[in-house]
């Protein structure tokens, strides 16, 4: 039996993305997650537990020791790739989850909402208080495009949060959206030097704050195994990705930095997901691995040139 034309045109990476994507089967009672074959997914948590018990490791995986409390695992097929299971204790995970929701989306840090609504102050607090984002009256009923509004003055908010009574007093003439909806649709925020997604480059002219010192020190400590002795990792920019149920981040390269000699430090917080890492083209079949809250992935050297992506399937059990 021949495969479909669509399957033939998919790259190996795209096929893996589709394999691990969350799909639903509709039933009369409720939507049910479609079963997924996870037999080929690497589980570094189980590997770490087995390694602590008897020192055994699967073929193609080897450990390196460092100053961290847990072994770091590497892949023979991907030089420069490091996986640190359970690198962050629960208390530290909770701290950065809170910061990711309350502090990191704060202006001047940019988020995916900036393009439409401009900078939004205290989004998490507004959602918690059931507030509504309403377009200011001078813009209500106009035909200004998104770009034209931004060009008027990107630093002047054209949208503001109001409580429910304030929203009712505005009537139905102005556009509005609940803060809770905006929080659910938050997809990314940028820390430190800001990334200009329209130009796919860092823009030093955009206002920005330094990455918090504590987060810089954490990244420095995590990155140490990838660097020559005595060399220190200094984080200048970060992107915080927010995933909801079934969300994915397609195969890509983090190739906008001029200096590729420094590693990518990726920390996972919250629900369990699947990480894919392939090769230098999307035609290389990727390896899949579980990623849990507190895990850290490092990509340095040749691994920096490999396509990688994420699939967050929140129904997975730990």
């Amino acid at each position: 039996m021949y495969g479909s034309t669509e399957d033939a045109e998919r790259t190996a990476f795209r096929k893996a993305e589709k394999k691990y994507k969350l799909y639903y089967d509709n039933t009369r009672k409720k939507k049910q997650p479609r079963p997924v074959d996870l037999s080929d997914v690497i589980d570094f948590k189980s590997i770490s537990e087995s390694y602590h018990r008897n020192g055994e490791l699967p073929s193609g995986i080897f450990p390196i020791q460092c100053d961290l409390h847990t072994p770091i695992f590497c892949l023979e097929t991907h030089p420069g790739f490091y996986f640190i299971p359970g690198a962050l204790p629960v208390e530290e995970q909770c701290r950065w989850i809170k910061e990711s929701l309350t502090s990191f989306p704060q202006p001047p840090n940019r988020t995916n909402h900036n393009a439409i609504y401009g900078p939004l102050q205290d989004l998490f607090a507004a959602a918690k208080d059931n507030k509504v984002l309403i377009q200011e009256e001078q813009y209500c009923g106009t035909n200004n495009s998104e770009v034209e509004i931004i060009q008027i003055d990107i630093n002047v908010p054209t949208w503001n949060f109001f409580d429910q009574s304030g929203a009712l007093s505005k009537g139905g003439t102005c556009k509005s959206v609940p803060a809770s909806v905006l929080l659910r649709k938050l997809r990314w925020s940028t820390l430190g030097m800001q990334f200009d997604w329209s130009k796919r480059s860092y823009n030093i002219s955009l206002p920005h704050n330094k990455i918090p010192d504590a987060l810089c020190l954490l990244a420095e400590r995590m990155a140490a195994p990838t660097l020559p002795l005595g060399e220190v990792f200094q984080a200048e920019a970060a992107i915080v990705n927010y995933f909801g149920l079934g969300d994915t981040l397609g195969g890509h390269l983090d190739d906008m930095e001029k200096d590729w000699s420094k590693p990518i430090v990726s920390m996972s917080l919250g629900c369990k997901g699947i990480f894919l890492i392939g090769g230098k083209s999307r035609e290389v079949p990727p390896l899949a691995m579980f990623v849990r809250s507190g895990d850290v992935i490092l990509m340095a050297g040749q691994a920096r040139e490999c396509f990688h992506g994420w699939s967050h399937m929140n129904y997975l059990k730990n």
Side-chain angles (χ1 to χ4, degrees):
M1 175 181 271
Y2 294 102
S4 68
T5 304
E6 185 181 2
D7 285 339
E9 291 175 351
R10 285 199 187 104
T11 64
F13 203 102
R14 184 71 187 94
K15 290 177 182 177
E17 289 175 330
K18 184 175 176 60
K19 175 180 179 180
Y20 295 114
K21 183 176 174 61
L22 176 59
Y23 293 100
Y24 287 99
D25 289 323
N26 290 319
T27 66
R28 291 184 178 180
K29 293 183 178 180
K30 62 179 181 179
K31 293 193 301 184
Q32 294 288 347
R34 189 177 299 173
V36 179
D37 181 5
L38 302 174
S39 58
D40 292 331
V41 182
I42 300 171
D43 189 344
F44 280 106
K45 179 183 178 182
S46 296
I47 289 171
S48 180
E49 292 170 350
S50 175
Y51 180 67
H52 281 295
R53 282 196 308 269
N54 52 38
E56 294 180 357
L57 287 172
S59 175
I61 296 175
F62 63 94
I64 63 170
Q65 301 296 331
C66 65
D67 294 335
L68 299 176
H69 66 278
T70 182
I72 300 176
F73 296 106
C74 302
L75 300 172
E76 291 180 358
T77 56
H78 291 75
F81 177 87
Y82 305 78
F83 194 105
I84 314 176
L88 306 183
V90 173
E91 296 78 8
E92 195 158 21
Q93 294 174 42
C94 292
R95 173 186 180 177
W96 295 117
I97 288 173
K98 181 179 179 180
E99 293 291 323
S100 296
L101 293 171
T102 59
S103 300
F104 294 167
Q106 287 284 80
N109 295 343
R110 298 168 68 83
T111 75
N112 56 294
H113 290 318
N114 273 71
I116 297 176
Y117 306 108
L120 300 179
Q121 290 280 355
D122 300 319
L123 173 58
F124 183 79
K128 188 177 179 181
D129 295 337
N130 294 317
K131 290 188 176 182
V132 179
L133 186 70
I134 299 178
Q135 191 177 33
E136 289 297 280
E137 290 184 4
Q138 62 264 37
Y139 296 101
C140 291
T142 68
N143 292 320
N144 285 346
S145 69
E146 172 188 318
V147 175
E148 289 170 338
I149 290 176
I150 292 173
Q151 288 176 340
I152 291 171
D153 190 341
I154 195 169
N155 295 310
V156 176
T158 64
W159 298 74
N160 283 297
F161 288 115
F162 293 87
D163 57 26
Q164 294 290 342
S165 59
L168 290 172
S169 68
K170 290 286 183 179
T173 58
C174 292
K175 296 178 181 179
S176 65
V177 57
S180 58
V181 172
L182 292 171
L183 186 63
R184 285 199 302 271
K185 293 185 176 181
L186 183 64
R187 289 296 174 262
W188 54 262
S189 62
T190 47
L191 309 181
M193 191 178 299
Q194 298 293 287
F195 192 79
D196 187 338
W197 292 92
S198 63
K199 299 178 181 177
R200 294 197 77 245
S201 63
Y202 291 97
N203 188 340
I204 60 174
S205 68
L206 291 173
H208 63 277
N209 295 329
K210 285 182 59 180
I211 297 176
D213 289 342
L215 187 57
C216 286
L217 290 173
L218 176 59
E220 176 186 321
R221 185 162 56 92
M222 293 295 119
T226 72
L227 298 172
L229 188 64
E231 190 172 327
V232 176
F233 178 80
Q234 294 181 320
E236 297 178 326
I239 297 176
V240 185
N241 292 304
Y242 303 84
F243 296 92
L245 178 62
D247 284 349
T248 61
L249 182 61
H252 65 283
L253 296 175
D254 295 308
D255 56 358
M256 292 298 103
E257 294 77 20
K258 292 182 179 179
D259 183 3
W260 281 28
S261 67
K262 301 299 186 290
I264 296 168
V265 180
S266 178
M267 307 178 194
S268 292
L269 302 167
C271 293
K272 183 178 179 181
I274 289 178
F275 178 76
L276 300 173
I277 183 165
K280 294 185 179 181
S281 83
R282 290 186 175 89
E283 299 298 337
V284 178
L287 294 176
M289 59 199 71
F290 292 123
V291 181
R292 296 174 175 84
S293 189
D295 291 346
V296 171
I297 288 174
L298 308 173
M299 287 178 282
Q302 294 182 40
R304 279 219 56 168
E305 304 175 36
C306 294
F307 279 88
H308 55 278
W310 300 83
S311 177
H312 277 250
M313 307 166 70
N314 301 24
Y315 66 87
L316 293 174
K317 297 180 179 179
N318 284 329

